[in-house]
Amino acid sequence: MGIRSLMGIRGARDKPRNSYAGSALFFLFGRSTSGKPVNERTAMQTTAVYSCVRILAEAVASLPLHIYQYTDKGKERVADHPLYPILHDEPNEEMTSFVFRETLMSHLLIWGNAYAQIIRDGAGRVLGLYPLLPNKMKVDRADNGEIIFIYSRDSEENLNFSTYGQIYLWRQDALHIPGLGFDGLVGYSPIAMAKNAVGMTQACEEYGASFFANGANPGGVLEHPGVLKDPGKVRESWNAVYRGTNNAHKIAVLEEGMKYQQIGIPPEEAQFLETRKFQINEIARLYRIPPHMVGDLEKSSFSNIEQQSLEFVKYTLNPWVIRWEQSLQKALLLPEEKKEYFIKLNVDGLLRGDYQSRMTGYATARQNGWMSANDIRELEDLNPIPEEEGGNLYLINGNMTKLKDAGLFARNDTEKEEEPT
């Protein structure tokens, strides 16, 4: 359907509708109460935000991504599905699967939404996926109730578009992964929602940088007993000689009874370091990242750091994984395929403990019959043992039996003894 017909669908404005534009982020982004402007790019200049976004984006991008098929025995991986190489290897000619997922995940963590253009063939099968910038996307609803995506193209970020300006995409032409939102249609930016915390982090970093740029000395005033004809010249000459890290610890020479009086608060008195540490934890709390993963090891030890890592997978990473899986299945699988196939990001490797714990768990599973040798070897990324050598056998201890059969052998022996010879 052409642009004209789409605009005709959207012509009526007298009905309630859901709409969300990338430009609407500006009512959330902007100047924080600390006075620092906060947007998606200035936020990424803070080490805490960059670290949290990088941790989650790389974690999701590095997970094995496969397509599975439901079978009578459970599930099996389907490597020959047309969608498999697109998701697992190359979503498009310019990106690997890792880079594509890392890019979309960073969009999701900064803007609260991730979008990609879906290229399909005549039968509706997916041929490629291309990222779209969230701040240029508007999600709207046509009068017939169908969701449409309106992308404002003003640069060469996507060569599949031949024109500039507003480009309309139907729901089947766009992959949308929304974050936490209020209406279920779009997500809201974590950075925008926590702009005061991010702004304070920026203010702390700028204060520290300016403090050292000033020679690690707080501000002060020069007092003169008389009347200065040109105070600006005195101030400039003082700054030229004593201001900056290169001029730190120089001996000041004061003339004509002039005195220097400090008026700034030294960082240690303002608890500067404690404030910076708190703000790092504040950003980590925003993204639910364990402090030890952003470099704060104060409350971490050998006894709890592994548990914190497992909690990161279960409570932080897993919700994002589910968002990805369900969004990919909804947008990429054909309607008739959804009953037979599903897409899964495998986090099992991240949930494994240390070597000794894994071996103990495997031994328990092997001895109690719910895992075979090949099941264990698959989890450890080892080649299977041939079936004729017993690789797929399920074993149990011979001294274990059902409660109702307890004493069965003893009764049989007694019955044999009582039988007449």
Side-chain angles (χ1 to χ4, degrees), residues 92-95 117 119 130-132 151 153 155-164 167:
N92 56 66
E93 296 179 352
E94 301 172 349
M95 299 178 184
Q117 182 191 13
I119 306 298
Y130 290 83
L132 299 173
Y151 191 72
R153 180 176 184 253
S155 59
E156 296 289 342
E157 72 274 4
N158 191 329
L159 298 180
N160 292 305
F161 299 141
S162 59
T163 60
Y164 290 91
I167 299 172

Side-chain angles (χ1 to χ4, degrees), residues 345-364:
L345 287 160
N346 194 343
V347 298
D348 293 342
L350 300 178
L351 290 172
R352 295 190 303 177
D354 58 83
Y355 184 81
Q356 182 178 359
S357 300
R358 297 202 313 274
M359 294 304 108
T360 302
Y362 292 151
T364 302

Side-chain angles (χ1 to χ4, degrees), residues 68-261:
Y68 291 89
Q69 184 178 20
Y70 295 107
T71 65
D72 296 337
K73 298 180 180 180
K75 64 179 181 181
E76 65 178 10
R77 189 184 304 175
V78 185
D80 57 353
H81 191 282
L83 193 58
Y84 189 93
I86 295 175
L87 294 179
H88 186 267
D89 301 318
E90 297 180 13
N92 56 66
E93 296 179 352
E94 301 172 349
M95 299 178 184
T96 62
S97 177
F98 183 96
V99 172
F100 175 80
R101 285 184 278 160
E102 183 185 43
T103 301
L104 260 64
M105 189 62 188
S106 65
H107 291 174
L108 191 54
L109 296 168
I110 295 296
W111 281 287
N113 295 275
Y115 302 95
Q117 182 191 13
I118 303 175
I119 306 298
R120 299 181 185 270
D121 61 11
R125 292 186 295 265
V126 178
L127 298 177
L129 300 169
Y130 290 83
L132 299 173
L133 293 174
N135 60 329
K136 296 184 178 182
M137 182 67 76
K138 178 180 179 181
V139 182
D140 209 338
R141 193 183 296 276
D143 290 347
N144 62 356
E146 185 170 354
I147 293 176
I148 55 175
F149 299 88
I150 306 173
Y151 191 72
S152 299
R153 180 176 184 253
D154 55 8
S155 59
E156 296 289 342
E157 72 274 4
N158 191 329
L159 298 180
N160 292 305
F161 299 141
S162 59
T163 60
Y164 290 91
Q166 289 189 337
I167 299 172
Y168 296 82
L169 300 171
W170 287 107
R171 184 174 56 185
Q172 61 269 22
D173 298 325
L175 166 65
H176 179 204
I177 307 174
L180 177 66
F182 295 153
D183 58 3
L185 186 62
V186 291
Y188 288 155
S189 165
I191 296 298
M193 289 300 182
K195 68 178 180 181
N196 287 330
V198 177
M200 188 171 179
T201 304
Q202 293 175 346
C204 287
E205 290 187 358
E206 184 173 322
Y207 174 79
S210 62
F211 175 74
F212 285 102
N214 194 37
N217 288 312
V221 295
L222 291 171
E223 294 183 354
H224 194 277
V227 179
L228 288 176
K229 296 182 180 180
D230 192 355
K233 184 177 181 180
V234 175
R235 180 174 59 252
E236 291 174 3
S237 61
W238 175 274
N239 289 336
V241 178
Y242 302 112
R243 185 178 183 181
T245 54
N246 294 331
N247 299 323
H249 310 298
K250 283 188 175 181
I251 298 175
V253 178
L254 303 178
E255 301 179 90
E256 300 179 0
M258 189 177 297
K259 297 180 180 179
Y260 176 81
Q261 181 177 353

